[in-house]
Amino acid sequence: MDTFRNDSKLSTWLYRIAINESLDFMRRRKSSTSVSVDVEGTGIANMLLADNYFDGDETAAMLQEAIAILPDVQRTVFNMRYFDDMKYSEISEILKTSEGALKASYHIAVKKISDYFKLRD
């Protein structure tokens, strides 16, 4: 809390810390192991459906699988916009990038997810 300067909302500052820590974790993990997603259906969707604590259906599991194959930035923007219902202005402040770039990342992510679902039909 000593480093909080009141330049933004406390929630924005905390969210930025969480994002940075998550991205650092993913970078470290990516360098030591790689995660493989099988487009044929034996990947994350099947693992989620087999998990007793997963309360979604097959479509929700496929969505998580499609999100998992997105590049880090697109995945982060998609999650913040779609699941956290954040405004582009908030995401822009947290990720320190322009709203235009965020909108482009989000729409590209949506297109990739849509294409993923079309491949699965």
Side-chain angles (χ1 to χ4, degrees), residues 70-89:
L70 292 173
D72 289 341
V73 171
Q74 290 173 9
R75 183 177 339 119
T76 301
V77 172
F78 183 83
N79 284 332
M80 293 172 87
R81 182 80 177 128
Y82 184 80
F83 291 112
D84 298 335
D85 199 28
M86 295 179 77
K87 296 177 183 173
Y88 287 114
S89 59

Side-chain angles (χ1 to χ4, degrees), residues 68-116:
I69 62 174
L70 292 173
D72 289 341
V73 171
Q74 290 173 9
R75 183 177 339 119
T76 301
V77 172
F78 183 83
N79 284 332
M80 293 172 87
R81 182 80 177 128
Y82 184 80
F83 291 112
D84 298 335
D85 199 28
M86 295 179 77
K87 296 177 183 173
Y88 287 114
S89 59
E90 294 173 306
I91 301 169
S92 174
E93 190 174 335
I94 291 167
L95 298 181
K96 305 292 188 216
T97 190
S98 72
E99 290 183 36
L102 294 171
K103 289 176 183 178
S105 289
Y106 181 78
H107 289 291
I108 291 168
V110 169
K111 174 78 169 106
K112 287 180 180 179
I113 291 169
S114 176
D115 290 346
Y116 181 85

Side-chain angles (χ1 to χ4, degrees), residues 10-80:
L10 179 61
S11 61
T12 302
W13 181 71
L14 291 172
Y15 210 102
R16 183 64 214 176
I17 291 171
I19 292 289
N20 285 342
E21 289 296 319
S22 299
L23 292 173
D24 287 345
F25 174 79
M26 294 301 290
R27 280 188 209 106
R28 285 191 305 272
R29 191 151 186 223
K30 191 180 280 186
S31 65
S32 64
T33 60
S34 65
V35 175
S36 168
V37 177
D38 183 359
V39 179
E40 298 300 316
T42 59
I44 293 172
N46 287 343
M47 289 177 4
L48 285 172
L49 290 171
D51 187 337
N52 292 333
Y53 295 104
F54 179 69
D55 63 356
D57 60 8
E58 186 175 348
T59 303
M62 283 177 51
L63 175 60
Q64 290 303 316
E65 190 166 88
I67 292 169
I69 62 174
L70 292 173
D72 289 341
V73 171
Q74 290 173 9
R75 183 177 339 119
T76 301
V77 172
F78 183 83
N79 284 332
M80 293 172 87

